[in-house]
């Protein structure tokens, strides 16, 4: 009942033309795939151009971040209304790179998740522990804090479109993928948290992606896990061959 969802996080890569080319190739090669929901997240400056390429396709457009206000004196920021204006359906929030390098906190993640839900953008809210936190046995307490923080003050009526991405920071861009069992343990825990905050039925309907060194050759085993509903893909989403390979491996 939870449709698998694969999203490509292009991070700070690809100028407008290569971004349009990749989007065009994905659109052609993934035509007709409807058993998997698919999205790509280019940089802000390529959103508009990629949106035009993807028009009428089965690929959705995602931003990599947003600010929680629609307009005003907030130099350098981009709000929900602007993302919708260029055709975004999704927005990635609280990626570990933003938490680590750009001072994103549980509070700012919460404001962003609220703003995206209010505007009708689907938030892909990222959580995940650092290697020292895992080694210290703190994984689940870190995840609990991040999930509760992200969802503070968000009602049962507002939350359904939400997607959560569990991305252990030690697995991102390292080639060191979590084992299916390690991922499942945390995914199950996140679903339990959702059941405690909301209710078990709602928790059962929310998709939880895994992220961190996902490749065509490891996605199948990850997807066998009952609480794993797709992936947020970084490096392997920058090449049509590998991104299509991931989707075709499960579709
Ligand atoms: P990776 O990145 O697939 O390159 O590990 C995942 C992510 O940061 O979302």
């Amino acid at each position: 009942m939870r449709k698998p969802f694969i999203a490509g996080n292009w991070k700070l890569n690809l100028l407008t033309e290569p971004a349009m080319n990749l989007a065009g190739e994905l659109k052609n090669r993934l035509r007709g795939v409807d058993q998997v929901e698919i999205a790509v997240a280019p940089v802000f400056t390529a959103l508009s151009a990629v949106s035009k390429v993807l028009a009428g396709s089965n690929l959705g457009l995602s931003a990599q971040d947003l600010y929680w206000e629609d307009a005003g004196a907030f130099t350098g920021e981009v709000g929900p209304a602007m993302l919708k204006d260029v055709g975004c359906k999704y927005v990635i929030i609280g990626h570990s790179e933003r938490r680590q390098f750009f001072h994103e906190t549980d509070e700012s993640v919460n404001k962003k998740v609220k703003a995206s839900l209010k505007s009708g953008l689907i938030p892909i809210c990222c959580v995940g522990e650092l290697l020292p936190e895992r080694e210290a046995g703190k994984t689940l307490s870190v995840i609990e804090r991040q999930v509760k923080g992200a969802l503070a003050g968000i009602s049962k009526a507002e939350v359904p479109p939400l997607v959560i991405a569990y991305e252990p920071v030690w697995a991102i861009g390292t080639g060191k993928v979590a084992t299916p069992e390690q991922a499942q343990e945390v995914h199950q825990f996140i679903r339990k948290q959702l059941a405690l905050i909301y209710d078990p039925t709602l928790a059962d309907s929310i998709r939880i992606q895994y992220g961190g060194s996902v490749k065509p050759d490891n996605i199948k085993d990850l997807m066998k896990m009952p609480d794993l509903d797709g992936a947020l893909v970084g490096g392997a989403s920058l090449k049509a061959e590998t991104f299509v390979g991931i989707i075709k491996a499960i579709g």
Side-chain angles (χ1 to χ4, degrees), residues 92-208:
I92 298 169
I93 295 173
H95 189 279
S96 65
E97 286 148 18
R98 297 219 57 83
R99 293 181 192 254
Q100 277 189 290
F101 308 138
F102 304 101
H103 315 295
E104 194 82 76
T105 63
D106 291 333
E107 289 71 35
S108 60
V109 168
N110 179 238
K111 285 182 176 164
K112 291 177 178 190
V113 172
K114 278 182 179 156
S116 64
L117 287 169
K118 199 167 149 220
S119 72
L121 285 165
I122 297 173
I124 302 173
C125 179
C126 303
V127 297
E129 81 286 1
L130 302 165
L131 185 59
E133 292 169 335
R134 173 162 283 265
E135 287 173 347
K138 291 186 186 147
T139 299
L140 299 183
S141 62
V142 168
I143 300 298
E144 181 176 353
R145 192 202 76 224
Q146 291 176 340
V147 169
K148 283 185 174 157
L151 298 178
I154 296 172
S155 74
K156 200 168 140 177
E158 294 167 304
V159 83
L162 172 84
V163 175
I164 292 183
Y166 167 56
E167 300 204 304
V169 180
W170 47 270
I172 296 178
T174 58
K176 206 174 161 223
V177 65
T179 65
E181 294 72 25
Q182 282 173 324
Q184 169 60 20
E185 183 196 14
V186 179
H187 282 234
Q188 190 178 34
F189 179 77
I190 292 171
R191 208 174 296 290
K192 199 176 105 195
Q193 294 306 308
L194 293 170
L196 290 170
I197 302 170
Y198 300 105
D199 65 55
T201 311
L202 186 59
D204 267 347
S205 72
I206 290 182
R207 284 167 313 169
I208 308 174

Side-chain angles (χ1 to χ4, degrees), residues 9 11 95 97 167 171-174 211-215 232-236:
N9 174 10
K11 306 192 180 183
H95 189 279
E97 286 148 18
E167 300 204 304
I172 296 178
T174 58
S213 299
V214 171
K215 302 276 175 328
L232 183 55
V233 184

